[in-house]
Amino acid sequence: MERENDTQHLEFLLLGLAEDPELHPFLFGLLLSMYLVTVLGNLLTILATISDSHLHTPMYFFLSNLCFVDICFTSITIPKMLLNIQAQSKAIPYAGCISQIHFFVLFTGLDDLLLTIMAYDRFVAICHPLYYMVIMNHRLCGLLILVSWIVSVLHALLQSLMILRLSFCTDLEIPHFFCELNQVVQRACSDTFLNEVVLYFAVVFLGGVPLTGILYSYCKIVSSIRAISSAQGKYKAFSTCASHLSVVSLFYGTCLGVYLSSAVTQNSHSTATASVMYSVVTSMLNPFIYSLRNKDIKCALRTLCGTGE
């Protein structure tokens, strides 16, 4: 096969979630509904945390940042897929594919790092409650968010530049609903060894290290909760981190499920369908998990919607 050097006219074909055209109207309606619920739910949570002065604390500051990232996260993939279904087209330009990879990697990394920061916030709140406001001051909170953005932007830029060095052949079909980094690398004609090394290093550094930090934080949290004598005190301490623990379990559980299943099975469409769980469903459920388990968020939402007392 000849290598394709004219990237200006190069296109990838996103095979999507279903090949049967009869399923496309149902799929369009389902994804559009999920996307609108995701945007509306996360946007309401952001507005609630901004409008209520009682929620101007580190925990809700990090939560509002997570909601913003979740909106961006789903906006990278779903609108393009909806457009392709509506236009009955599977094509995405080379530049569009690289851009999609860049921003998807960026917001995935931010999601991961924000969940780690929120775990540290809960660790300080439960294990060192008397020093919480001293440790989690405005300067540190802002610095943590800034460092997360810098690390994520640099990582996304690195992965994008690594893709740009590759040459592609005529087999440009991607069995996914978006330009997934690993799938694009596998379609290259040129040597991908360096890309795979960088990818695996990034998975360990930006996946394994934050997960280890989260697990360590919750080990300390569990130890502190067990040391509390009263049952009411234990329940109150656990309830402050239950929402975050649910979101972490959902995010990492679906991510690990997708990539473990892709390593075991060769069914690419099944892997693409499973990817909807962490790329769409998790972002959609996050605001509901926090609002349903949090009285402060519920009160702020009622006030925002004009139904509060």
Side-chain angles (χ1 to χ4, degrees), residues 200-274:
Y200 290 138
F201 178 78
V203 169
V204 172
F205 182 71
L206 292 175
V209 173
L211 181 58
T212 302
I214 291 172
L215 293 175
Y216 175 79
S217 296
Y218 274 101
C219 286
K220 291 294 185 180
I221 287 171
V222 170
S223 298
S224 296
I225 291 176
R226 289 180 63 186
I228 299 174
S229 55
S230 67
Q232 185 179 0
K234 289 181 179 180
Y235 175 77
K236 185 177 180 181
F238 179 76
S239 64
T240 62
C241 59
S243 298
H244 176 258
L245 186 59
S246 301
V247 171
V248 169
S249 301
L250 187 62
F251 179 78
Y252 277 100
T254 51
C255 284
L256 290 173
V258 167
Y259 287 104
L260 288 177
S261 64
S262 64
V264 173
T265 180
Q266 298 299 318
N267 192 333
S268 299
H269 281 289
S270 298
T271 302
T273 304

Side-chain angles (χ1 to χ4, degrees), residues 45-64 121-122 132-133 136-138 141 294 296-297 300:
T45 304
I46 293 172
L47 293 175
T49 56
I50 293 174
S51 62
D52 193 333
S53 59
H54 295 94
L55 301 183
H56 293 175
T57 62
M59 181 175 73
Y60 296 110
F61 171 67
F62 296 136
L63 175 59
S64 60
D121 174 73
R122 292 300 83 206
Y132 177 71
M133 294 309 300
M136 301 303 295
N137 55 67
H138 294 297
C141 292
N294 193 301
D296 294 332
I297 291 287

Side-chain angles (χ1 to χ4, degrees), residues 12 93-103 160 163-164 179 184:
F12 292 89
Y94 176 79
C97 190
I98 298 299
S99 299
Q100 198 174 62
I101 289 174
H102 175 82
F103 287 107
S160 302
I163 292 291
L164 289 174
C179 284
V184 174

Side-chain angles (χ1 to χ4, degrees), residues 31-104:
L31 289 173
L32 179 60
S33 301
M34 293 172 70
Y35 179 65
L36 292 177
V37 169
T38 300
V39 173
L40 181 61
N42 284 285
L43 188 59
L44 283 174
T45 304
I46 293 172
L47 293 175
T49 56
I50 293 174
S51 62
D52 193 333
S53 59
H54 295 94
L55 301 183
H56 293 175
T57 62
M59 181 175 73
Y60 296 110
F61 171 67
F62 296 136
L63 175 59
S64 60
N65 276 273
L66 180 67
C67 290
F68 171 74
V69 170
D70 281 338
I71 292 174
C72 298
F73 190 41
T74 52
S75 298
I76 298 305
T77 57
I78 300 303
K80 176 57 180 175
M81 185 179 180
L82 293 174
L83 181 63
N84 282 6
I85 293 175
Q86 189 67 20
Q88 296 184 347
S89 170
K90 298 179 180 179
I92 180 171
Y94 176 79
C97 190
I98 298 299
S99 299
Q100 198 174 62
I101 289 174
H102 175 82
F103 287 107
F104 188 83

